[in-house]
Amino acid sequence: MYKLNKERLAHLNIHFTNSKDGGSIFYKDVFASPIELLNYINNNNSSEIIIQLNGRETHVFNCDHLGDIGNTGIANKKEVDIKTIIKENRNGFMVEVALVSELQVTNKFCVVIEKVEDDLNIITAFPGPYAPSFPYKDQNKADYKLSEIFWNIHVLLRLRDV
């Protein structure tokens, strides 16, 4: 069973509001809150499970039957205008953020979990395709390298102020 503690609930709220921290936003008419998302994942099967080297897993849910469930805040750097990219520090790693006029829609979302006995403790969840965490100093070397490679060719997306 998936579980969501108060600390992770607060973090997950980033993806339910138009926060400057997260470009990936769930549509409120599909999932009004993290609790509704929790209910959904506890009653549906993921379409894919990605095993991470740090022992965490990412469960990918494909929601073709629901239609578009949100906007994704990640893109390949080749898909955006290079002149719109700014840099931000995330966990000590410089991440590129493309300022765009609109975000891409998606019908899938990812749930990152940590297993503790029979519980699947949610670390985060976000609309869109799989993306590893930003590199951080306490990460093992192999995970750090994979994260670094991914984030060197991908950018976060954020709506630009009009």
Side-chain angles (χ1 to χ4, degrees), residues 17-161:
T17 63
N18 289 327
S19 165
K20 289 287 186 190
D21 292 331
S24 298
I25 304 293
F26 287 101
Y27 291 158
K28 288 198 179 266
D29 61 335
V30 180
F31 299 115
S33 70
I35 301 305
E36 278 195 23
L37 183 72
L38 178 64
N39 290 336
Y40 178 87
I41 63 178
N42 274 319
N43 290 295
N44 292 274
N45 294 321
S46 62
S47 57
E48 180 182 9
I49 296 177
I50 299 165
I51 307 296
Q52 297 170 214
L53 297 175
N54 62 4
R56 292 180 176 172
E57 296 178 356
T58 298
H59 296 195
V60 181
F61 289 81
N62 191 330
C63 300
D64 288 334
H65 61 288
L66 295 176
D68 295 330
I69 57 95
N71 295 109
T72 182
I74 300 169
N76 189 298
K77 202 183 295 189
K78 294 176 184 176
E79 298 173 2
V80 299
D81 180 354
I82 196 95
K83 293 178 269 187
T84 68
I85 296 176
I86 61 172
K87 293 190 178 199
E88 292 182 357
N89 187 323
R90 298 280 181 109
N91 301 329
F93 182 77
M94 292 307 290
V95 175
E96 294 179 313
V97 179
L99 303 175
V100 296
S101 57
E102 63 182 4
L103 297 172
Q104 299 170 351
V105 297
T106 185
N107 64 357
K108 66 173 60 174
F109 67 90
C110 296
V111 180
V112 180
I113 61 103
E114 207 166 50
K115 286 184 176 179
V116 178
E117 296 176 10
D118 290 338
D119 292 334
L120 306 174
N121 294 324
I122 296 173
I123 304 300
T124 192
F126 53 89
Y130 170 74
S133 66
F134 300 119
Y136 58 94
K137 70 175 186 159
D138 294 331
Q139 205 171 17
N140 72 51
K141 287 182 183 180
D143 277 340
Y144 187 94
K145 189 67 178 165
L146 289 173
S147 293
E148 187 176 47
I149 289 168
F150 181 90
W151 288 108
N152 281 331
I153 61 173
H154 289 84
V155 293
L156 285 177
L157 301 175
R158 180 179 308 138
L159 289 174
R160 68 172 148 246
D161 295 330

